[in-house]
Amino acid sequence: MEYQEFKQKCIDIFALNNFSAPIDEQLKKLFTLTEHMLEVNKSLNLTAITDLDGVILKHYADSITVSKYIPENAKIIDIGCGAGFPSLPLAIFRPDLSITALDGTAKRIEYVKGTAKLLGLNKLTAIAGRAEEYANKSDFRESFDVATARAVAALPILAELCLPFVKKGGSFVAMKAAQGENEASASTNAIKLCGGAPAVISQLELTANNEDFEKRVIIVSQKLIATPAKYPRHYSQISKKPL
């Protein structure tokens, strides 16, 4: 893969989706991220998406769709960050943000840590652990402006995992595919019980060629009141009996 080819594809795909054109520094970091991710992916299962258009669209462009819902200089937590999405692209495009990437798989967190260091993303911290456990730690509970999650679990489950991290006045922002609207309807009770306002739903479509479109749904709930101490429950309870 040549840098110039990568650069032009990035510029073209971002333009097709009405995103601002990445600057040179961002493009170079995305290129390094791509090379590193695809190399590590040979030995560690990070992503099934390895074609260049797919990586740019489904990992990078998709990740930054959440940016407009995050205020300047916010402190955010990415629940179930996996291979670092949306954390790594957000850190590249929003250096004002302080980002905590949380995931239960230690090997992936080590990858995210190493990649953040490689890219010089000094405001991104990666932590291995379970969300329902960290949500009860005093320095994590209700201490973030935004909690986000991308394709981790059904929304009623995500609401219980994410809202306890959000301070009053902050937001829970879920990134979903086409089924997101149905999940939003099913999550009304969970969001309310965990202190959130009724969800606001936004839809968009992503494309790499202006012919094939992929639907995305972003669901936002503002934190109104403190989450009751009994939430989140143990994950076995959350998954078996969603709120």
Side-chain angles (χ1 to χ4, degrees), residues 11-243:
I11 291 171
D12 291 345
I13 290 173
F14 274 54
L16 277 175
N17 291 283
N18 298 313
F19 294 136
S20 298
I23 62 175
D24 283 344
E25 181 183 1
Q26 293 165 342
L27 286 163
K28 288 174 182 176
K29 287 183 177 180
L30 289 176
F31 180 70
T32 301
L33 170 57
T34 304
E35 287 196 315
H36 181 61
M37 178 179 68
L38 295 180
E39 182 61 32
V40 174
N41 198 54
K42 294 175 182 178
S43 56
L44 179 63
N45 182 25
L46 296 172
T47 178
I49 301 167
T50 56
D51 66 288
L52 194 52
D53 283 8
V55 168
I56 295 169
L57 182 73
K58 298 177 183 180
H59 284 326
Y60 305 157
D62 190 22
S63 288
I64 64 170
T65 58
V66 75
S67 180
K68 66 184 289 186
Y69 303 96
I70 303 175
E72 190 174 353
N73 298 316
K75 180 183 177 184
I76 80 166
I77 185 165
D78 176 13
I79 303 297
C81 68
F85 302 114
S87 291
L88 290 168
L90 272 180
I92 291 171
F93 285 90
R94 292 287 305 274
D96 59 298
L97 301 178
S98 296
I99 301 173
T100 297
L102 179 66
D103 196 271
T105 304
K107 287 185 177 180
R108 288 189 173 185
I109 285 298
E110 287 305 311
Y111 161 77
V112 174
K113 280 183 183 178
T115 304
K117 184 176 181 180
L118 174 69
L119 299 175
L121 305 175
N122 300 322
K123 295 178 72 175
L124 193 162
T125 302
I127 299 173
R130 300 188 65 85
E132 68 273 23
E133 294 173 359
Y134 269 83
N136 285 306
K137 294 180 181 288
S138 60
D139 51 344
F140 282 80
R141 191 173 184 87
E142 300 191 326
S143 63
F144 293 89
D145 299 298
V146 176
T148 190
R150 177 179 181 253
V152 175
L155 197 62
I157 294 173
L158 277 184
E160 187 172 351
L161 291 174
C162 291
L163 276 165
F165 287 98
V166 182
K167 64 176 66 171
K168 184 178 177 181
S171 297
F172 160 46
V173 184
M175 307 170 69
K176 289 287 183 178
Q179 81 282 2
E181 285 186 87
N182 293 332
E183 290 190 27
S185 298
S187 68
T188 301
N189 191 52
I191 288 173
K192 182 178 180 180
L193 288 174
C194 292
V200 176
I201 302 168
S202 299
Q203 300 180 29
L204 65 149
E205 291 182 328
L206 296 175
T207 182
N209 53 27
N210 222 16
E211 295 177 0
D212 302 311
F213 293 87
E214 298 197 16
K215 185 176 179 180
R216 295 289 186 270
V217 177
I218 296 180
I219 301 159
V220 181
S221 171
Q222 186 179 20
K223 185 73 171 283
L224 297 179
I225 60 173
T227 302
K230 62 183 176 180
Y231 302 125
R233 299 165 292 164
H234 190 277
Y235 191 78
S236 61
Q237 293 177 291
I238 298 174
S239 58
K240 289 177 183 177
K241 292 184 178 181
L243 297 174

